[in-house]
Structure formats: structure tokens, C-alpha cells
Amino acid sequence: MGLLATARTRPDRELVRDLLYRFCRRCADAGLPELQRLATTVETWWPEILALLCTGITNAGSEGTNRVIKTVAREPTVPQPRQPALTHPLRDHPASPWAPRRPLISLSPHL
């Protein structure tokens, strides 16, 4: 039986201790730096791992949400192109009293 296979089965502490020792021994005997780092990480997080094995309760959902939030926060924002200054809606409307006046051109030949 593997160490993680005991999750949510409420194993006794001696079984868990033996499985942890076997896991760490295999990692050390392999002679691979990656497995040695893995064993160190497991030892560092052992209280949390033991809580999972004994209770089946995990905080994976909140950790996943936190990871997504941090990932999104790290993404660079794309600079938006500068928008031209907005014109004043009343001043620039042709029917506005503040609009610039064009000279009246008469089409009548009598003027």
C-alpha cells in the first residue's frame, strides 16, 4: 500500500510512519536530486499531509483559486491606444448655440 493510498481511510499512525519511512528511503536510495527534493518537500509539509491522510480534509479548492488569482495578477496588461480627447457634445453639435458659425451664403442672385 502506498502512502497516498491511505488517504481518507483513517490509518493508524504506525502504518503511516512506516509508509513515510519507506517513501523517504526509496527517494534517498534512488540518488536523483529531484527525488531528494521531493522527499524534503514531503517532510516540510508533513503535518498538512498527515491531516489529509487522517481526516480526508484538504484546502485544494482555495489553493487553486489563489493560484488563479496570482496568475491573472501577474499577467501584463496590454496598453490601450490613446483615445483622442472627447469633444464637448453641446459645443460641437451643429445646432448648438456654442457651435462655430459658418457664414451664410445666399444662393439667390438678388443679394
Side-chain angles (χ1 to χ4, degrees):
M1 176 183 281
L3 186 60
L4 292 179
T6 62
R8 299 180 183 159
T9 62
R10 297 185 184 259
D12 69 7
R13 289 190 173 266
E14 287 195 22
L15 173 64
V16 173
R17 185 192 67 212
D18 293 341
L19 291 173
L20 175 63
Y21 175 79
R22 201 175 341 167
F23 170 77
C24 290
R25 175 65 27 213
R26 285 182 185 166
C27 289
D29 290 345
L32 294 172
E34 293 85 1
L35 288 179
Q36 291 169 351
R37 274 196 305 269
L38 175 61
T40 302
T41 302
V42 168
E43 286 184 42
T44 302
W45 288 93
W46 183 244
E48 290 82 2
I49 294 170
L50 183 60
L52 166 70
L53 297 177
C54 293
T55 65
I57 298 172
T58 177
N59 66 343
S62 60
E63 290 292 337
T65 301
N66 290 341
R67 181 174 172 262
V68 169
I69 290 169
K70 289 179 184 178
T71 301
V72 169
R74 271 191 237 122
E75 290 178 0
T77 57
V78 177
Q80 298 296 321
R82 290 191 58 143
Q83 298 293 328
L86 295 176
T87 58
H88 193 279
L90 293 177
R91 185 187 66 220
D92 296 333
H93 190 275
S96 168
W98 299 284
R101 300 284 178 213
R102 288 183 269 161
L104 294 176
I105 300 173
S106 175
L107 298 177
S108 170
H110 302 303
L111 292 176

